[in-house]
Amino acid sequence: MNGALEKSHAMQLGDIRRAPMAATDDYVLSVENLNLFYGGAQALNDISIKIPRNRVTAFIGPSGCGKSTLLRCFNRMNDLVDICRIDGRILIDRKNIFDKDVNVALLRRRVGMVFQKPNPFPKSIYENVAYGLRIMGVNEKSTLDDAVEKALRGAALWDEVKDRLGESGMGLSGGQQQRLVIARAVALEPEVLLLDEPSSALDPIASAKIEELVYEMKEKYTIVIVTHNMQQAARISDYTAFMYMGDLIEFGDTDSIFITPKEQRTSDYITGRFG
Amino acid sequence: MRNWFKGGEPWIWMTAGAVALSLIAVYAVVWMTAARGLVHWWPIQVAETIFTAADGSKTRLIGEVRDREEVSILRLRESGYRIDTTDKFTTRYLIKQGNRDITGTDFKWYPAPMLGEFTYPKDMIAVERREWGHFYGHLKAVKENGRIVAEGPAAWNAMRDRLNRSNALFSEILGIEKHEIGKLNYELERLRLNQRKLELQNRLDDAAKRDFDARLAAVNAQFGALQARLDALRAQIGRDSFVAEVMDGQQVEISLAKVADAIMPNDMNVFGKIGHYLSKFVEFIVDDPREANTEGGIFPAIFGTVMMVLLMSAMVTPLGIMAAVYMREYAKQGPLIRIIRISVNNLAGVPSIVYGVFGLGFFVYFLGHNIDVLFFAESLPAPVFGSPGILWASLTLAILTLPVVIVSTEEGLSRVPRSIREGSLALGATKAETLWRTVLPMASPAMMTGLILAVARAAGEVAPLMLVGVVKLAPSLPLDGNFPFLHLERKFMHLGFHIYDVGFQSPNVEAARPLVYATALLLVVIIVVLNLFAIRLRNRLRERIRGLEGV
Ligand SMILES: Nc1ncnc2c1ncn2[C@@H]1O[C@H](COP(=O)(O)OP(=O)(O)OP(=O)(O)O)[C@@H](O)[C@H]1O
Ligand SMILES: [Mg+2]
């Protein structure tokens, strides 16, 4: 991407992005004693977890255990839920993202998110990808062109859509739409990319494409992915967290979780005895 | 049979029947107004016959046969006619005999048995006068300065040529009276107001006074010049006249200055009739009304209607959209907002006259009066904004249609899926940016739907307008060449009110009836045109939302 964008990006992020400290050097996000309530019901119980930088971390667990809820804490999407109440901290470069002086818009540019169901805007493919940049005030055509191409290439979609960038993003297939929204998030060059079951709505070929993409992207981004597919978690993640009923049961590198889980419930879930 | 019911067949028939009924209703409305309104300008032959009155005296009748109906002979006998027949029923004719100044009544029913044979003499002329309605008679001669210049068959051509001349003069006079004198009057009024303003501010010193006097003198000099030109033109226009023989055998002389148009309907071929029809139709659309609105055109009413609707749209759209955005996007969705929403919905059901009363009380008497006191003190006690006018009428209609716009916009906003909003927020857009860039564009077709409904309702509304600005005859349009061009305080004419006024308030209801239908048709056409325009815009928006536009 060209220099002007880089600079404006850095400038806007300046107030949260500080020089990395030794203690969090390996970690992008560090969750400390997080409790979350939807009204009176507690959805997350005292979660503490550190997300390693430039690695793929997978969240697994039975439906309703709070994976999406936790993921949505990382970029404060839960702010939109009126009844949601949170205590505890999530640190990003030693700054608590729940602090009052945090600029939520900037946080969300740093921590990008792709939702379970693809949600392209009813705009052209080009405008979908350029959306976040335009919000940042980038309007120069050549800068946008470059950024859009780079993001679409990054999401392995460029070759399929390069001749019809002006067409609606809604007109793409499900798998293409999912890659489009990944490109949309990637265009902002976030540090962390949150993927909430990105391939749940896709056929095996499309989801293989997404997996490949995740594998390539971890060079540049820290990726947190929620998945129901054990094989997928085992294939693409470096670390795996198993959640159950709002608790974080076990967290470690993927091999040890899948081969030698310490907890009985983890091994039950992985082997398909419940969930 | 049971299976027939179970299969849902009756439902299909019932629903399809409902559609058919609605269609028939719509077509009936349009067809009836069109059929009755559009024939109005077609030249009708002028008939001549002999009428035997109840006392046995015979008179000559000249006129257009406009209508016929069955009557019982018994009733005719009761009213004194002696009719020798065994039939129970006979026909009677409605004859438009014109010549209101001579005969007293335009339209009169005559029983068929009392009428002789109808003839259609070729030398019959039908004259549309600027006053006193139509005139029918046998053309005898054309005079110039009281001297006969053409007689008999040659008279018609002479009359037509001279009529063209007098009409040209007439439109010149009209132009001077309307535009140039109007401008000077406007100028004078402004001078007077400026002077009064200085006087009120105690700044009217001798120098200013002298300045005013000089300018006043200049305007008056212009007045004098115009007056002289007008007098000359008026003297010229009265030069020619024609002589015709009317029903009772009298010879009547009429100055061409008083004649708007003349035809020989009994001596016209189809092309002549078509030409006459078209010219009358155009006149109807582009001319000012004459004769208490029963003749001439309705241009000021068209203009007033369209302008009021546009002003109303310009006011109601931003207001309604903003209110809906607040209610749907920002307000906390609690019992309070629910009460507000219910109130808004119910507001749509309040009778429109109530809005008229509100507009008169609040806008005109309160707001308008206070504006006058604050800004137009120099023209008091004559009100400027303190009397009904197009601004207040548009504002009243804006309030009247506000619920429609709010409800549709809210609906559009609520249909924008949560996932799209979250997608935008997750890319670092603030709530406002999400609203502007994604939510509002997606809801824009719904807003247009609201506006379409609002326009349809506002253009057809009459009752409240009578209280807040519509008049029977407005002296000038709310938009003209005099600074500041847009005169929002002026009263205006409106097609809906025009229909009511012409059809039910005019001195000559019978003559005006076709005009009522023609005006109604035009009102429908205008509403349809405005709506089509808005619908096109909405489709364009929809297309854009589908993202089909270029990069
Ligand atoms: N907006 C909300 N309001 C109230 N309760 C909620 C809300 N969102 C989630 N919950 C509850 O919080 C719990 C965790 O939900 P969450 O969506 O995080 O589960 P999940 O692990 O992502 O499940 P799945 O795998 O089915 O997506 C569930 O019991 C759910 O009912
Ligand atoms: Mg989920």
Side-chain angles (χ1 to χ4, degrees):
Chain A
M1 205 179 294
N2 111 359
L5 174 59
E6 212 105 274
K7 208 167 124 214
S8 74
H9 202 161
M11 254 161 46
Q12 298 204 30
L13 298 182
D15 54 346
I16 348 184
R17 184 186 277 171
R18 303 226 179 91
M21 295 288 172
T24 57
D25 222 7
D26 296 332
Y27 305 110
V28 183
L29 291 162
S30 140
V31 181
E32 295 177 1
N33 308 99
L34 190 78
N35 288 290
L36 185 146
F37 306 85
Y38 284 122
Q42 187 158 8
L44 295 176
N45 310 321
D46 200 31
I47 306 271
S48 293
I49 186 173
K50 289 188 161 137
I51 309 291
R53 192 183 293 278
N54 283 21
R55 294 287 181 276
V56 177
T57 304
F59 286 177
I60 59 173
S63 190
C65 70
K67 306 180 295 291
S68 299
T69 303
L70 180 56
L71 208 64
R72 289 165 60 92
C73 286
F74 293 152
N75 66 348
R76 286 186 55 179
M77 282 315 266
N78 282 326
D79 289 9
L80 309 179
V81 181
D82 287 333
I83 53 168
C84 176
R85 193 161 52 77
I86 297 173
D87 58 46
R89 308 202 296 172
I90 296 180
L91 301 181
I92 181 162
D93 293 341
R94 303 188 95 198
K95 175 82 180 160
N96 184 3
I97 64 167
F98 296 120
D99 278 354
K100 279 221 166 62
D101 60 340
V102 168
N103 181 333
V104 183
L106 296 185
L107 170 72
R108 288 179 186 152
R109 274 173 215 163
R110 273 183 91 179
V111 183
M113 182 162 200
V114 171
F115 296 85
Q116 191 160 345
K117 241 177 67 198
N119 56 350
F121 302 131
K123 297 171 185 283
S124 67
I125 294 173
Y126 183 95
E127 285 303 326
N128 262 284
V129 181
Y131 189 87
L133 295 168
R134 284 203 195 275
I135 296 282
M136 278 168 63
V138 182
N139 274 315
E140 201 185 318
K141 177 117 175 53
S142 60
T143 316
L144 285 178
D145 286 352
D146 292 347
V148 167
E149 176 171 352
K150 191 175 166 203
L152 284 171
R153 280 193 196 283
L157 191 59
W158 175 252
D159 292 329
E160 287 160 67
V161 300
K162 63 171 183 259
D163 298 324
R164 46 176 179 143
L165 292 177
E167 283 174 33
S168 172
M170 312 276 252
L172 297 174
S173 76
Q176 287 173 327
Q177 285 189 7
Q178 195 60 284
R179 277 178 286 150
L180 178 65
V181 298
I182 291 175
R184 198 168 73 179
V186 163
L188 287 171
E189 310 209 313
E191 277 171 70
V192 182
L193 195 57
L194 309 172
L195 304 173
D196 192 349
E197 301 185 48
S199 53
S200 65
L202 305 182
D203 67 78
I205 295 174
S207 74
K209 270 206 167 123
I210 302 277
E211 276 181 35
E212 218 170 284
L213 190 61
V214 169
Y215 193 79
E216 283 167 18
M217 287 194 302
K218 78 174 174 185
E219 310 237 308
K220 292 171 75 182
Y221 312 106
T222 303
I223 292 174
V224 185
I225 182 169
V226 171
T227 178
H228 278 287
N229 182 329
M230 291 309 115
Q231 288 82 15
Q232 190 178 55
R235 274 197 303 270
I236 62 175
S237 68
D238 304 303
Y239 295 89
T240 300
F242 171 62
M243 294 180 66
Y244 182 65
M245 307 243 317
D247 290 311
L248 178 65
I249 305 293
E250 198 172 345
F251 176 54
D253 62 89
T254 300
D255 290 343
S256 47
I257 295 277
F258 276 86
I259 298 163
T260 56
K262 297 193 192 73
E263 294 276 335
Q264 183 60 36
R265 277 177 297 187
T266 314
S267 73
D268 286 352
Y269 181 71
I270 289 169
T271 54
R273 239 163 280 169
F274 75 89
Chain B
M1 192 65 189
R2 256 192 77 186
N3 277 343
W4 188 67
F5 266 101
K6 271 190 154 172
E9 195 90 331
W11 275 113
I12 300 176
W13 282 104
M14 266 169 72
T15 46
V19 171
L21 269 181
S22 322
L23 269 182
I24 289 170
V26 170
Y27 278 111
V29 168
V30 174
W31 188 81
M32 193 189 78
T33 46
R36 300 248 179 133
L38 289 178
V39 298
H40 176 53
W41 302 284
W42 191 255
I44 298 174
Q45 297 215 324
V46 179
E48 185 175 310
T49 186
I50 302 290
F51 170 62
T52 314
D55 59 7
S57 65
K58 291 188 189 295
T59 46
R60 183 162 60 155
L61 264 188
I62 292 176
E64 296 172 1
V65 178
R66 278 306 184 83
D67 204 357
R68 55 169 62 197
E69 68 181 28
E70 295 289 297
V71 283
S72 81
I73 291 192
L74 202 65
R75 252 181 66 199
L76 290 178
R77 290 212 175 101
E78 276 168 6
S79 52
Y81 292 111
R82 272 176 289 134
I83 303 167
D84 304 325
T85 171
T86 50
D87 294 347
K88 282 220 160 64
F89 292 96
T90 183
T91 326
R92 61 173 188 165
Y93 292 106
L94 179 66
I95 302 213
K96 178 180 181 186
Q97 44 195 19
N99 306 14
R100 205 158 69 232
D101 43 343
I102 303 165
T103 56
T105 43
D106 249 353
F107 287 83
K108 214 165 170 185
W109 287 101
Y110 290 99
M114 311 313 289
L115 294 176
E117 200 184 335
F118 286 160
T119 57
Y120 298 95
K122 295 268 187 245
D123 67 340
M124 193 70 76
I125 51 172
V127 178
E128 195 185 329
R129 292 180 293 183
R130 299 195 198 283
E131 300 167 354
W132 292 110
H134 275 75
F135 171 91
Y136 303 107
H138 295 278
L139 181 62
K140 290 295 175 200
V142 176
K143 288 183 176 178
E144 179 180 322
N145 289 330
R147 223 163 20 79
I148 292 180
V149 288
E151 258 181 311
W156 172 238
N157 275 338
M159 176 168 170
R160 263 223 313 236
D161 293 344
R162 276 149 207 271
L163 190 58
N164 284 341
R165 172 183 167 276
S166 69
N167 271 338
L169 286 172
F170 184 82
S171 55
E172 197 175 340
I173 292 176
L174 197 70
I176 291 175
E177 280 176 344
K178 225 170 108 176
H179 297 292
E180 302 187 36
I181 295 203
K183 206 167 185 161
L184 286 183
N185 273 331
Y186 193 74
E187 194 75 13
L188 270 186
E189 181 66 7
R190 284 221 323 203
L191 277 178
R192 188 183 74 76
L193 291 180
N194 279 337
Q195 191 172 4
R196 176 98 180 102
K197 197 173 189 171
L198 289 183
E199 204 172 37
L200 286 177
Q201 295 168 344
N202 273 330
R203 280 171 33 212
L204 191 67
D205 48 20
D206 283 346
K209 247 185 205 154
R210 247 175 287 126
D211 184 38
F212 273 120
D213 287 345
R215 280 205 248 169
L216 214 59
V219 174
N220 277 329
Q222 286 179 17
F223 248 131
L226 281 182
Q227 203 57 51
R229 260 175 73 197
L230 276 180
D231 286 344
L233 287 171
R234 286 213 181 96
Q236 282 191 42
I237 201 177
R239 188 189 72 178
D240 302 329
S241 60
F242 73 90
V243 179
E245 186 188 312
V246 296
M247 288 183 5
D248 52 8
Q250 259 186 74
Q251 301 243 339
V252 178
E253 183 178 343
I254 294 175
S255 166
L256 286 186
K258 298 205 173 102
V259 175
D261 197 8
I263 54 172
M264 274 191 151
N266 298 353
D267 194 19
M268 248 178 161
N269 59 15
V270 172
F271 297 107
K273 286 185 177 178
I274 291 175
H276 177 76
Y277 180 89
L278 291 179
S279 78
K280 285 284 137 188
F281 185 72
V282 170
E283 182 192 302
F284 178 66
I285 291 180
V286 303
D287 263 16
D288 285 351
R290 292 197 316 264
E291 291 223 48
N293 295 350
T294 55
E295 299 279 348
I298 54 167
F299 178 72
I302 301 176
F303 189 88
T305 308
V306 172
M307 182 159 166
M308 185 207 64
V309 168
L310 293 182
L311 277 176
M312 185 262 342
S313 308
M315 293 189 233
V316 76
T317 317
L319 193 62
I321 290 176
M322 286 195 288
V325 165
Y326 181 79
M327 281 164 63
R328 180 61 61 180
E329 301 289 324
Y330 288 111
K332 197 162 167 285
Q333 301 296 316
L336 183 65
I337 208 78
R338 210 168 310 139
I339 289 172
I340 292 178
R341 198 165 282 143
I342 291 171
S343 319
V344 167
N345 280 330
N346 283 326
L347 225 51
V350 173
S352 53
I353 190 78
V354 176
Y355 287 95
V357 172
F358 169 78
L360 185 68
F362 182 73
F363 292 138
V364 178
Y365 291 155
F366 178 74
L367 261 187
H369 179 70
N370 282 316
I371 289 175
D372 280 358
V373 169
L374 285 177
F375 301 107
F376 299 97
E378 67 273 13
S379 60
L380 282 176
V384 179
F385 281 101
S387 74
I390 193 166
L391 174 68
W392 303 134
S394 318
L395 208 56
T396 304
L397 283 192
I399 304 254
L400 175 95
T401 51
L402 192 59
V404 188
V405 177
I406 292 183
V407 168
S408 327
T409 308
E410 267 212 273
E411 183 145 337
L413 289 173
S414 68
R415 255 181 311 191
V416 175
R418 197 190 160 83
S419 66
I420 296 273
R421 296 162 194 267
E422 288 194 338
S424 170
L425 290 169
L427 289 172
T430 61
K431 186 157 185 173
E433 285 162 342
T434 302
L435 208 58
W436 275 111
R437 284 175 186 260
T438 313
V439 177
L440 288 185
M442 282 179 83
S444 56
M447 296 171 193
M448 285 307 297
T449 304
L451 187 61
I452 290 167
L453 293 174
V455 165
R457 173 139 196 225
E461 207 57 79
V462 179
L465 295 179
M466 304 201 302
L467 302 182
V468 289
V470 160
V471 285
K472 177 186 172 72
L473 193 64
S476 43
L477 296 177
L479 189 68
D480 65 15
N482 295 328
F483 182 83
F485 311 121
L486 188 63
H487 306 277
L488 290 177
E489 78 285 358
R490 284 192 185 161
K491 296 179 177 50
F492 65 108
M493 291 174 71
H494 183 275
L495 285 172
F497 182 68
H498 198 80
I499 292 171
Y500 169 73
D501 178 62
V502 171
F504 306 99
Q505 303 290 299
S506 80
N508 202 350
V509 174
E510 202 73 54
R513 187 158 296 157
L515 273 183
V516 169
Y517 288 107
T519 312
L521 184 68
L522 202 67
L523 180 59
V524 172
V525 168
I526 284 179
I527 295 179
V528 168
V529 166
L530 285 171
N531 268 334
L532 283 182
F533 185 70
I535 287 172
R536 251 187 79 108
L537 208 63
R538 178 174 65 181
N539 289 348
R540 187 99 37 96
L541 287 172
R542 275 199 185 136
E543 209 124 284
R544 181 172 308 169
I545 282 163
R546 269 191 246 121
L548 296 174
E549 99 271 43
V551 178

